[in-house]
Structures are given as structure tokens and as C-alpha cells.
Amino acid sequence: MDRKILANAIRALSMDGVQQANSGHPGAPMGMADIAEVLWRSHLNHNPENPEWADRDRFVLSNGHGSMLIYSLLHLTGYALPIEELKNFRQLHSKTPGHPEYGYAPGIETTTGPLGQGITNAVGMALAEKTLAAQFNKDGHEIVDHYTYAFMGDGCLMEGISHEACSLAGTLGLGKLIAFWDDNGISIDGEVEGWFSDDTPKRFEAYGWHVIPAVDGHDSEAINAAIVAAKADPRPTLICTKTIIGFGSPNKSGSHDCHGAPLGAEEIAETRKQLGWEHGPFEIPSEIYAEWDAKEAGATKEAAWNEKLAAYEAAYPELAAEFKRRVNGELPAEWEQKTAQIIADLQANPANIASRKASQNALEAFGAMLPEFLGGSADLAPSNLTMWSGSKSLTADDASGNYIHYGVREFGMTAIMNGIALHGGFVPYGATFLMFMEYARNAMRMAALMKVQNIQVYTHDSIGLGEDGPTHQPVEQMASLRLTPNMSTWRPCDQVESAVAWKFAIERKDGPTSLIFSRQNLAQQARSEQQVADIAKGAYVLKDCEGKPELILIATGSEVELTVNAAAELTQAGKKVRVVSMPATDVFDKQDEAYRESVLPSDVTTRIAVEAGIADFWYKYVGFGGKIIGMTTFGESAPAGELFKMFGFTTDNVVNTAKELLS
């Protein structure tokens, strides 16, 4: 059958879906339909009946506004996405939301829409493939061998994150990453030449990519030849495809008029005539379905891979078992027993160290059990302390390592880690200063939205970093993280809480975790065995009084120590004081009412929260009648001790505030 007819099935479904929803972007799917047809029918290794097949090729639609393209492809090739779902495009509870959302429809590898993050996720997937292959493949037994394909538009290339990610992809030689640039010259505002005049091929050549320029995006033979050439080159490849947005529309193609709005019933009728498409809305003839159906071919490809895996298992049984464990996201059998002992030993052997150092010690202890650790830092490893004795740097020539030097690329790092997590086989962690999570905020939001594991180590957590000044001193960042749905945020007060926080983050598979650590040394707190167990509940009673408390002091991180000292003074003065350490507010909020009441009894309303972060967050725990010792301004440049005194983070100020409240 003529490939144009098969591509026209995508065009018809895309314009019909957008029209029925009266909302969406028909232009990109219609313009990229020929490229998609060649890729999905002649090159993409996938099995619609098992979208989780470990060695499938990954496909990422980075220009996610063109979502009807991928929905059409999934439907036509035989995924469990019936035509009714395409008819319900952008409607409540459908599997076809306005942008591709991970977890809604089978075959959607990642959530895309925030431009540039899709291609960056694809870099992470390709990096995961290369590293997993280097760690497991043996001569004659290549059980990890797949490509990552990404479609992207001008908007993805204009976003700064694409520079971060594609630069690193070139440096690391991710040869199984193939990206298609939809060079249609149009964005929402019109023709992009007025605001996007980069020489994109030269830019990617400078990154070390293989660049195939000036491919006619409507010439199937040229597209196929470009993909074949891309596969033959050891570098990541950019295929520059010149397309016509809204291809087939007689009055709106080549214009921003078809970028983000339905074509309209009259124009759709004219487009059908121009394309020679004689079928009604959402109508696909059986012979076209038969040409598109990938179920039989996909099952055959997966069966062949299963035979390879069986041969690998016979030759390398221990490695095969480890491979299966990792791709299934399972923790080692001895995990619970060993981690419990590690945490108990830390409590029994006090150390007054910075929590960033405690974090490194946790990595040292847990890392030996976790070959799936794939760590990194945005050029701050000596400050974030994210390398441990088992860390091995990953390079272009040797991808078997477990540590990535991301360079000064906070946003790119975080979105790459989302791609690694989505690929599977690894527990990714990255790091930067807490202040610079601002660069990466949207990628962490995407991790929370997609419910994928992404562990971020954020050090230098407050005005306590001192002389670097307010540009580097985080104030509102902790509150921002805590207010993000499905984000777990931990700010430990010593090495024991730090280890518990790491254990939680490693075990958590349904969302990201932010681990916030100090630069300065923190005193280890005394605890009973039950108190150690209660750390995992997010908040617990660290110090208590006889009978009902008159006052509850709540603190996190470096402020726990001074709060404990203040409680001791107040107790000596005859006050009944309870100290609550609350390293993870979100975890505490999820405990049952009985536990929350046991820690923060509702009839004790005299409360003070102490944290060197934005004050307003804490009203939910102290109420309007309580007091908050926190930040209401930015910091200053001075030694840490002077800053803590200036902003009221002292034992004396906590004591005086308590006396004022109690009076």
C-alpha cells in the first residue's frame, strides 16, 4: 500500500480528534505523519501487547502539543487505545489528554509538553541504555540493545534545557539516540525566522553529534535512508527534516493558523479532498489497519529477545538474576535487615557532623548493596559529597560506571534523571545546592507528576552557608518543594535522620524525594529504639515532659539542636515542653489521625516552629495563635554564626519567644 495513504490515516485521525475536542494542535501531527510512518513501520522495535518489554525501542514526542500524533500511532499499531479514546481527546478521564501523560495510555514513555524536557528525557533513556548494556552485555549475549527516538520542534530547540542535555549527550557518545527536528519554520507567533535564526546543524555538530541536514520530511525514501545512516553512526544523530505544518490543508498548511487550533469543518472537508481521503471522521478502513498492525511483528521480536535472555541466563545465571531484579525495580533480598542494622549502629555511635557528610556516609553504607545506584552532581561533587568509595565515573569510552559528571546543568541533570528512571534498571540520584533547585524546579515537578523516582541531594540548606550571601542562601525553596504535590521533602537533623531519609528515598518508587542537607556540623540527638523507628513517620516526639505539655516546639534540620537546648532551659524554669523533630512534613501528614494526634495533640495550641526557611509555611502546624521563628526576608553575606544571631535562630530567642507566648 502507498505509504502516503498510511500517513494520511494519522493526518485524518489527528484533525478529527482536534476538531471534535474543539481544542488542540493539528499542525505538527499532520506535518510529521510521513516521518512517523517510516519510523514506526520500518524501524521501531516494540510490542503493542507488552508495552513494558524491557528491550523495546523508546519513542518520545518532545513536541508534546502534537499529542494526536502519538495517540494515532498507538491506536493504529494495536495498543490498547480504542478509537473511542481518540474521540474523547482532551476530555475528562480519557486516556488521551491534551499532552501525552505517562501512565494514562499504554505506550506513552514520558509526559511531554513543557518544551525541551522530552528530548532531555530521551537523553536520559539513551544514557540508561548505554550504561545498562555496558554493565550486563557479554560477547555473544547482547540483552540490552535498543534505540531511543525523539521528535522535537523549534520550541524544544529554543528552550535552554535542550542545550544542556544535547551537549552532554554528545560528550557521552550516546550513539543510540536519534532525534528528528521538525523544521517547519512555524511557532505560535508565526514564522520563527524573526526570533530563531540559529544554525541548528552546526550547533549539533559542535556538540559532537552526527547531523543529517535538509531531509525532505515528506519523502519516505529519504527519511528511511536518514534513519539507516543514523543507526550506522556511533554518535547521537540529529535528522533535520523539512516539513510543512498542517500538510494537506489547502488554506492553512504552512501557517501558524493550524498550529494550535482546529482546522474547522469546512477546511477538514477540503483537506480530505486534497489528500484523497474518502473516509468519514474517525473511520479507518480494515486494510489500512492491517498494514499498520504491529502486534504480530512485536510479539515475534519480543520472543526472539526472550530466547537471547534465556541463553544469557544459562551462561551467566547470577548476572541474569541481577538484571531481572533491577529492571523489575526490586530491592536486594537483604535490604531491610541490613539497613535496619546500619541505622541502629549510627544511633549507637554518635557523630557530630554536617548532614551533607552524613548523607555521604549513608551512600557509603547503602551503595555497597545497590549496584543500580546511578549518581551525579551538577559540578558540585566535592561540596554535595555525592561520591563514595564505590563511585566510578561514567565516560563515553566506558559507560559501565555509576557516577555522572553532569557539569553545570541543574535543569538538564534533573530531567535526564527522569529519563533514566522511566527507562528502568537504575536508582538515579543527583545533587546541587538547594538554592539552585530553582533552575531544575520544573523537572522535579514533572517527576512528581509522573510519579517516578528521582532523588535529589540539596546541600547548603540555609543562611548557614554564610559568606556566599543571599544569592546562594535558600529561603523560600523548602516551602516550594513541600507545596509540590507528590514531592517528598526531608530535612534531617543528624546522621540518623539522614540515613532514614536516604532509606525512604531509595524505597520510594512512586515519586521524587528531595533530601536537604546542611553545610555546618550538627549535634546527634539521643533517641530510644522506638524514636528511631518513628523517624520514618516524618515527625516524632524527640524530647518530652511529664504529663500534658504546655508548649510544643517543632523544628527541622540545624534548628533541632537549638530547639532542644531551649527546651532544656524552659524545663529548668518549670515549663512543660515537648520537642517535635519534623524532618518530612509530607510523610507526617500521611500518618493516621491517631499518630498525628499523639505527636501534636490538638488541645495544645501553644506552639512554636523553628526553621531557617520561609516562615509562612509553618502556620499549618502552629496555627495563627502560635509563633514561627523563620525567614521573612532574604539573607545577608556574613559568617553563619552572625547570621543565625541576626535572624533569631538562637537558643535565647527561642526561650524568649516561648516565655512571651506562654505569658
Side-chain angles (χ1 to χ4, degrees):
M1 184 177 289
D2 188 341
R3 303 191 86 143
K4 283 291 181 190
I5 295 174
L6 299 174
N8 286 342
I10 297 173
R11 294 186 172 103
L13 288 173
S14 297
M15 63 184 181
D16 289 342
V18 172
Q19 184 66 29
Q20 178 138 320
N22 196 30
S23 173
H25 300 74
M30 296 173 73
M32 298 194 79
D34 296 303
I35 306 167
E37 184 274 326
V38 174
L39 176 63
W40 277 64
R41 292 188 63 251
S42 298
H43 293 277
L44 193 74
N45 289 324
H46 63 120
N47 183 3
E49 295 190 309
N50 182 14
E52 302 301 317
W53 170 30
D55 203 44
R56 69 191 181 279
D57 290 340
R58 271 62 169 180
F59 174 77
V60 175
L61 185 70
S62 190
N63 45 346
H65 54 274
S67 55
M68 274 304 301
L69 173 64
I70 194 167
Y71 298 147
S72 300
L73 288 164
L74 294 171
H75 170 72
L76 290 167
T77 54
Y79 285 78
L81 194 69
I83 195 70
E84 288 73 23
E85 292 293 346
L86 275 66
K87 292 178 180 178
N88 287 327
F89 178 53
R90 291 190 166 220
Q91 304 309 300
L92 186 63
H93 303 313
S94 77
K95 294 182 179 180
T96 52
H99 291 83
E101 300 281 357
Y102 177 70
Y104 282 59
I108 301 294
E109 299 284 2
T110 181
T111 296
T112 55
L115 294 177
Q117 288 200 60
I119 180 62
T120 307
N121 295 162
V123 170
M125 294 173 188
L127 176 55
E129 190 276 343
K130 182 171 183 174
T131 303
L132 204 64
Q135 292 177 354
F136 283 99
N137 286 355
K138 299 293 181 182
D139 288 345
H141 296 277
E142 293 191 346
I143 58 168
V144 182
D145 183 15
H146 53 267
Y147 286 87
T148 301
Y149 299 98
F151 282 6
M152 59 182 177
D154 294 321
C156 293
L157 292 171
M158 282 186 264
E159 288 286 0
I161 190 174
S162 71
H163 297 256
E164 296 182 29
C166 295
S167 167
L168 188 61
T171 299
L172 294 178
L174 303 183
K176 288 186 176 175
L177 173 63
I178 300 174
F180 297 80
W181 170 30
D182 181 27
D183 181 15
N184 61 34
I186 297 294
S187 68
I188 292 175
D189 281 1
E191 297 181 6
V192 300
E193 61 186 12
W195 49 87
F196 184 51
S197 58
D198 303 14
D199 189 330
T200 298
K202 286 186 178 177
R203 170 186 154 192
F204 276 78
E205 287 172 4
Y207 292 153
W209 284 52
H210 170 220
V211 177
I212 303 176
V215 175
D216 183 345
H218 304 296
D219 181 338
S220 298
E221 291 186 8
I223 296 163
N224 186 68
I227 298 171
V228 171
K231 287 181 171 181
D233 198 283
R235 299 167 292 177
T237 297
L238 177 70
I239 301 176
C240 306
T241 56
K242 194 67 183 173
T243 64
I244 299 171
I245 191 170
F247 182 93
S249 171
N251 300 302
K252 295 186 177 181
S253 65
S255 144
H256 70 280
D257 291 339
C258 65
H259 179 280
L263 296 180
E266 189 174 321
E267 184 67 11
I268 287 176
E270 291 299 316
T271 303
R272 277 182 153 79
K273 289 180 184 177
Q274 180 146 316
L275 294 174
W277 187 262
E278 299 175 349
H279 316 291
F282 300 104
E283 181 185 336
I284 305 293
S286 58
E287 61 270 23
I288 292 179
Y289 273 126
E291 289 288 331
W292 269 106
D293 195 327
K295 294 194 293 293
E296 183 178 346
T300 300
K301 290 172 183 176
E302 184 176 357
W305 180 79
N306 285 333
E307 290 181 7
K308 289 170 64 176
L309 184 62
Y312 181 83
E313 192 167 15
Y316 304 98
E318 291 182 5
L319 273 177
E322 180 69 1
F323 175 79
K324 290 178 180 179
R325 179 188 73 80
R326 285 177 54 175
V327 297
N328 290 331
E330 299 168 359
L331 288 167
E334 71 278 12
W335 171 256
E336 193 60 44
Q337 178 185 354
K338 286 189 175 181
T339 54
Q341 188 59 54
I342 288 167
I343 291 166
D345 289 345
L346 288 172
Q347 186 62 51
N349 296 280
N352 296 347
I353 55 177
S355 55
R356 62 171 174 163
K357 180 60 181 174
S359 167
Q360 186 180 45
N361 291 346
L363 283 169
E364 190 70 41
F366 298 155
M369 290 183 276
L370 297 171
E372 59 263 49
F373 255 165
L374 189 55
S377 175
D379 201 48
L380 286 169
S383 294
N384 298 145
L385 302 184
T386 42
M387 296 190 82
W388 55 288
S389 65
S391 292
K392 176 186 174 184
S393 295
L394 188 153
T395 67
D397 296 328
D398 184 0
S400 66
N402 61 1
Y403 196 86
I404 304 163
H405 296 276
Y406 284 102
V408 187
R409 300 181 177 98
E410 296 90 353
F411 194 6
M413 171 184 72
T414 310
I416 285 170
M417 288 170 59
N418 286 343
I420 292 170
L422 289 159
H423 178 278
F426 296 97
V427 173
Y429 70 88
T432 186
F433 290 171
L434 177 56
M435 185 65 245
F436 302 131
M437 60 73 62
E438 291 289 352
Y439 289 122
R441 179 196 303 275
N442 200 261
M444 278 299 266
R445 181 180 186 273
M446 296 301 286
L449 183 67
M450 290 190 283
K451 301 178 182 176
V452 298
Q453 186 173 43
N454 185 327
I455 304 172
Q456 288 296 329
V457 173
Y458 294 131
T459 67
H460 297 60
D461 65 343
S462 73
I463 57 172
L465 67 91
E467 292 87 344
D468 280 340
T471 59
H472 284 54
Q473 293 167 6
V475 173
E476 72 276 25
Q477 284 65 40
M478 284 185 287
S480 172
L481 288 166
R482 288 171 177 148
L483 291 171
T484 302
N486 198 40
M487 176 73 66
S488 192
T489 303
W490 288 73
R491 189 177 183 236
C493 76
D494 63 10
Q495 66 168 354
V496 180
E497 287 191 358
S498 297
V500 173
W502 261 110
K503 181 175 185 289
F504 175 93
I506 292 164
E507 293 174 353
R508 186 179 191 220
K509 302 297 184 182
D510 61 353
T513 306
S514 297
L515 304 177
I516 298 174
F517 298 118
S518 73
R519 178 189 187 185
Q520 69 271 34
N521 289 344
L522 307 178
Q524 180 163 323
Q525 301 298 317
R527 296 180 186 83
S528 67
E529 187 175 335
Q530 184 59 53
Q531 286 174 312
V532 172
D534 286 343
I535 295 171
K537 296 177 180 178
Y540 62 101
V541 178
L542 179 61
K543 301 292 180 185
D544 212 356
C545 57
E546 292 291 333
K548 179 181 175 180
E550 299 174 74
L551 171 70
I552 299 176
L553 302 177
I554 309 167
T556 77
S558 53
E559 288 70 69
V560 169
E561 179 183 352
L562 70 91
T563 305
V564 168
N565 293 339
E569 284 194 29
L570 290 164
T571 300
Q572 201 167 23
K575 306 297 182 184
K576 292 185 176 181
V577 182
R578 170 177 291 182
V579 177
V580 171
S581 177
M582 191 178 283
T585 62
D586 61 285
V587 177
F588 176 69
D589 290 346
K590 291 174 184 172
Q591 302 305 311
D592 61 46
E593 184 178 356
Y595 181 76
R596 287 185 279 116
E597 180 70 15
S598 74
V599 176
L600 296 176
S602 53
D603 61 351
V604 182
T605 58
T606 311
R607 304 178 182 182
I608 300 173
V610 188
E611 185 179 63
I614 203 74
D616 284 358
F617 172 82
W618 289 98
Y619 281 114
K620 67 182 288 188
Y621 298 106
V622 304
F624 290 126
K627 294 282 187 180
I628 302 166
I629 298 173
M631 297 295 294
T632 57
T633 68
F634 295 116
E636 294 287 348
S637 177
E642 293 181 27
L643 293 175
F644 280 129
K645 185 175 181 180
M646 173 184 173
F647 289 104
F649 300 104
T650 65
T651 298
D652 285 347
N653 190 44
V654 177
V655 169
N656 292 335
T657 303
K659 288 178 177 177
E660 179 186 339
L661 188 61
L662 288 167
S663 67

